[in-house]
Amino acid sequence: AQTVTQSQPEMSVQEAETVTLSCTYDTSENNYYLFWYKQPPSRQMILVIRQEAYKQQNATENRFSVNFQKAAKSFSLKISDSQLGDTAMYFCAFMKRTGGGADGLTFGKGTHLIIQP
Amino acid sequence: EAGVAQSPRYKIIEKRQSVAFWCNPISGHATLYWYQQILGQGPKLLIQFQNNGVVDDSQLPKDRFSAERLKGVDSTLKIQPAKLEDSAVYLCASSPTSNQPQHFGDGTRLSIL
């Protein structure tokens, strides 16, 4: 079984600053995906960024980037030039690849990110 | 492209009553998931469907929870009878295939009195 740990229950930064959210995971699998999801108060989970474990290059999506350290089983999210709209719960998630597809997501407990004006 | 539709958005029932949630995935998405998100926690997978077949229901409390996906499109999740610990948000997600990113609905918030 996989586990995902997010050790920061809450973080607060000023608008325009850079913030990094931490995530570690435990698995014996070699083929998997890692994700960061954002959940605003509206409850809908929104995909922020995705990383495939076999790719050494870190994924980036505009202001969002990850630092994927496979040997250390670490997967942090960096948000640059933070904006008020980034305020939300952020969840790190793991998905194991199987034969022809993949399993469901295993989520961490989340980090509540607050962007202060 | 229409997103994942879920209803109702909110539901309040008393313990030992029954409740059902409905999910309509994105058109053409073969894989459908139900997650339970208890307050202050990340979502937990309850069941995964591939078309109308169950792929994984290992975390579904089968003594009280059931789910079906008729004709490989819409899905319903039922709880009978409900317990206090079932108070949570129930999220439905879908993806074209199981190894592609999942798209989530807005969820149903269930409160058990």
Side-chain angles (χ1 to χ4, degrees):
Chain A
Q2 289 70 231
T3 59
V4 177
T5 302
Q6 294 180 250
S7 58
Q8 304 151 312
E10 184 170 289
M11 295 188 71
S12 180
V13 298
Q14 296 293 123
E15 192 176 5
E17 289 184 344
T18 294
V19 59
T20 298
L21 308 183
S22 301
C23 172
T24 59
Y25 59 95
D26 188 25
T27 184
S28 58
E29 303 295 331
N30 197 45
N31 292 320
Y32 52 87
Y33 304 93
L34 293 164
F35 303 85
W36 279 97
Y37 277 89
K38 168 184 176 181
Q39 188 178 42
S42 66
R43 297 204 303 259
Q44 187 179 34
M45 296 286 256
I46 301 165
L47 177 64
V48 175
I49 200 163
R50 173 192 188 192
Q51 176 80 41
E52 297 179 43
Y54 69 87
K55 290 185 177 179
Q56 292 186 335
Q57 186 173 6
N58 289 322
T60 62
E61 278 294 333
N62 301 314
R63 298 183 294 108
F64 299 88
S65 61
V66 298
N67 182 3
F68 174 46
Q69 301 290 329
K70 190 173 183 179
K73 296 180 182 173
S74 170
F75 183 61
S76 62
L77 174 70
K78 186 173 82 171
I79 305 173
S80 303
D81 185 26
S82 57
Q83 301 174 1
L84 297 178
D86 294 334
T87 293
M89 285 293 293
Y90 285 80
F91 291 95
C92 178
F94 174 102
M95 184 166 78
K96 181 178 78 171
R97 285 193 70 170
T98 59
D103 287 352
L105 293 161
T106 299
F107 286 89
K109 288 190 173 183
T111 296
H112 185 205
L113 176 64
I114 301 168
I115 309 300
Q116 305 274 10
Chain B
E1 177 183 77
V4 176
Q6 288 189 248
S7 67
R9 188 143 171 85
Y10 301 92
K11 189 72 176 179
I12 301 173
I13 63 172
E14 295 185 348
K15 60 183 179 184
R16 290 187 289 274
Q17 286 188 324
S18 302
V19 64
F21 313 123
W22 174 80
C23 173
N24 185 20
I26 293 173
S27 178
H29 281 198
T31 311
L32 185 146
Y33 310 82
W34 284 101
Y35 291 87
Q36 179 193 57
Q37 185 176 18
I38 292 173
L39 186 64
Q41 298 184 21
K44 181 184 83 170
L45 179 69
L46 292 176
I47 190 167
Q48 175 183 350
F49 290 95
Q50 183 70 24
N51 296 310
N52 60 350
V54 175
V55 174
D56 181 6
D57 64 356
S58 58
Q59 299 190 88
L60 187 73
K62 298 180 187 64
D63 58 332
R64 297 182 301 105
F65 286 66
S66 64
E68 61 181 6
R69 190 181 183 195
L70 298 175
K71 301 180 181 179
V73 182
D74 292 6
S75 177
T76 56
L77 176 69
K78 296 180 182 177
I79 308 175
Q80 181 179 11
K83 291 185 175 181
L84 292 175
E85 60 259 37
D86 298 332
S87 292
V89 173
Y90 291 84
L91 294 165
C92 179
S94 71
S95 59
T97 62
S98 61
N99 61 0
Q100 292 183 274
Q102 297 173 26
H103 301 259
F104 284 81
D106 289 342
T108 295
R109 182 180 296 280
L110 175 65
S111 298
I112 313 293
L113 303 179

